[in-house]
DNA sequence: CCATCTTGTATTATTTATAATACATGTATT
DNA sequence: AATACATGTATTATAAATAATACAAGATGG
């Protein structure tokens, strides 16, 4: 029961475009609370579509609870802060940290198998082509709302030291270090992508929604790749927070991440 | 001339879904080079659409140069590594750094005005409601390809110390510090969003494309907000790279950003 | 050479989205 | 009360996407 998927979503292009655009503007804060929305005619003109199309987009927004339409008065935004922004990435543990109390996170294992490492994984981890890896896909859920879709690749030898059940309950980091792996460095790359049919269903969002994409390669002290993570996060449920401080003097003045200072109330 | 906008994009829902899904799989590396693509009939069955629809998606991919169709042989992926990934965020300067040689970046000023700070900006910067700010929107371009769409909010008093022309040429950081502003800390929040009609045109991408979204609040030594940045980045042209190292011992073991070690060949 | 795969091309019908209108009704302002 | 503007509703026509089908032509392997 989240925006997007739940009700009948206007599958067609234009209405969908209007819907998604307005939805993002609302959750962004660009459209604040109150009676802000322009009239349907005005919106139609602004988007270059007919009023019927705008209407369908607004109906979907209304069904999603993001706006409130009153008969002759107008349409006002019900920002409700998306009831989310519940999680943020913590630099100390590289794990999502729930900033609100009472929110627990559970994981659901979607698939689990051993097979040859895809080329891009093998290349990123520095494995031999065709080396066997464990491939696991799981979804993390908080308050019945899924917020991340994670696929991990771990060399088969290392992965044998923990079980399938371990994966569903324990963070992969802990499992690896428990197995005696000496984790030394990691490299993360953050980007954005669109939700495909499969991921959209798992994350309970509309196909074509924007997702935060994170790829992480973890290496041990010998420089061998021990984990490749490909994660997709719902932007309304997850953000990457980066506190930074300006240090140094003169020409050496530069930015440094201010770690260990995660603002608890930053959500 | 980049994927998405350039040619005739299949506006309709189904064909677009197939197109975007395949495009992401290609740029992700999930579909590697060679003659990998299943036949059109197989794709049609797999996506649950007709062959005509798959066909249009493939035509668009072909126009974008991502695949190569041969008459009776099949369709092979031309990964070409998106010819991009040219820029990455540098932690030291908080500015995009071009990792390939010979690429220069220019800026185009889209709009420039002084007006009241929007609520969410005033709140984030800690300004009085309705305080006047300078609002500037500009697009950064490298090799004729736009890769970022930036909107900055600067308190009017501070903004008066530099000109409109300065903005088009000099990074805002330099302008601020030149004005005697004592920059102390910043907070960045990274997420993802969809390209609206306006941004899509400016960045030469299709409406509804995924964009990396970055919001940054910069404060001076007194804790006053001096800059609010809302940036949208093309994921095929820009990534946020984060090298990390595992430090500390025992229970104090944690991650720390490995700054100043940006891998030049990381793109 | 032949069987069988592939992409290329064409036709047709169905479904759906969209647009253009008109009018009724609720709300608020003057 | 009158006016203006908002949403609610309905109708009709146009445009577009999609599906289903058939067949031609190139490529490949036996």
């Amino acid at each position: 029961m989240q925006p997007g998927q739940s009700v009948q979503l206007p599958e067609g292009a234009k209405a969908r475009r209007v819907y998604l655009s307005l939805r993002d503007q609302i959750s962004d804060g660009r459209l604040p609370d109150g009676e802000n929305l322009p009239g349907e005619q005005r919106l139609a003109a602004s988007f270059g579509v007919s009023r019927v199309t705008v209407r369908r987009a607004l109906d979907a927004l209304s069904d999603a609870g993001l706006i409130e339409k009153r008969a002759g008065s107008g349409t006002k935004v019900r920002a409700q802060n998306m009831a989310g922004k519940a999680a943020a990435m913590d630099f100390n543990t590289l794990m999502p940290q729930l900033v609100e109390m009472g929110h627990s996170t559970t994981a659901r294992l979607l698939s689990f198998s051993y097979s040859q490492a895809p080329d891009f994984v093998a290349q990123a981890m520095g494995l031999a082509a065709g080396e066997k890896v464990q491939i696991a896909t799981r979804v993390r859920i908080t308050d019945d709302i899924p917020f991340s879709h994670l696929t991990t690749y771990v060399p088969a030898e290392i992965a044998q030291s923990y079980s399938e059940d371990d994966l569903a309950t324990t963070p992969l980091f802990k499992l690896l270090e428990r197995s005696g792996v000496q984790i030394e460095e990691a490299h993360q790359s953050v980007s954005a992508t669109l939700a495909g049919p499969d991921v959209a269903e798992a994350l309970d969002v509309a196909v074509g929604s924007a997702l935060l994409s994170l790829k992480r390669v973890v290496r041990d002290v010998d420089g061998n790749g021990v984990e490749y993570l490909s994660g997709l996060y719902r932007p309304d449920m997850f953000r990457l927070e980066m506190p930074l401080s300006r240090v140094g003097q003169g020409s050496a003045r530069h930015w440094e991440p201010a770690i260990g200072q995660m603002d608890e109330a930053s959500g």
Side-chain angles (χ1 to χ4, degrees), chain A residues 223-236:
Chain A
N224 299 320
V226 295
E227 177 200 345
Y228 183 94
L229 167 73
S230 176
L232 297 172
Y233 302 84
R234 280 177 56 162
D236 60 334

Side-chain angles (χ1 to χ4, degrees), chain A residues 42-204:
Chain A
R42 219 154 309 207
L43 283 175
S46 141
F47 275 98
V49 298
S50 84
R51 200 185 134 209
V52 193
T53 304
V54 169
R55 204 125 219 299
R56 280 207 285 154
L58 292 184
D59 285 344
L61 287 170
S62 183
D63 281 337
L66 290 175
I67 62 175
E68 202 164 300
K69 310 183 71 173
R70 266 192 318 176
S73 174
T75 302
K76 56 176 173 179
V77 179
R78 283 193 30 178
Q80 69 180 359
N81 257 337
M82 292 307 260
K85 305 287 187 188
M89 177 72 82
D90 176 20
F91 268 96
N92 287 300
T93 63
L94 283 196
M95 309 244 315
Q97 196 176 43
L98 308 182
V99 298
E100 294 179 8
M101 301 294 293
H103 292 255
S104 62
T105 164
T106 59
R108 193 161 58 95
L109 193 58
L110 292 187
S111 75
F112 183 86
S113 67
Y114 285 87
S115 64
Q116 289 191 350
D119 281 356
F120 68 101
V121 173
Q123 186 176 350
M125 297 181 75
L127 303 180
E131 188 166 335
K132 273 223 168 177
V133 293
Q134 175 202 80
I135 305 178
T137 301
R138 50 198 198 283
V139 172
R140 295 204 79 86
I141 303 171
T142 179
D143 285 333
D144 289 327
I145 303 177
F147 72 93
S148 72
H149 180 279
L150 312 170
T151 302
T152 52
Y153 304 78
V154 177
E157 329 149 31
I158 300 177
Q160 286 169 345
S161 59
Y162 55 86
S163 75
E164 196 170 331
D165 286 338
D166 289 335
L167 253 186
T169 58
T170 314
L172 186 47
F173 268 134
K174 291 216 169 73
L175 294 177
L176 290 178
E177 296 203 322
R178 202 184 66 185
S179 308
V181 175
Q182 300 265 347
I183 294 178
E184 178 66 15
E185 62 166 7
H187 188 92
Q188 292 188 150
S189 177
V190 180
S191 189
T193 189
L194 293 174
D198 44 352
V199 181
E201 189 189 342
L203 289 181
D204 193 22

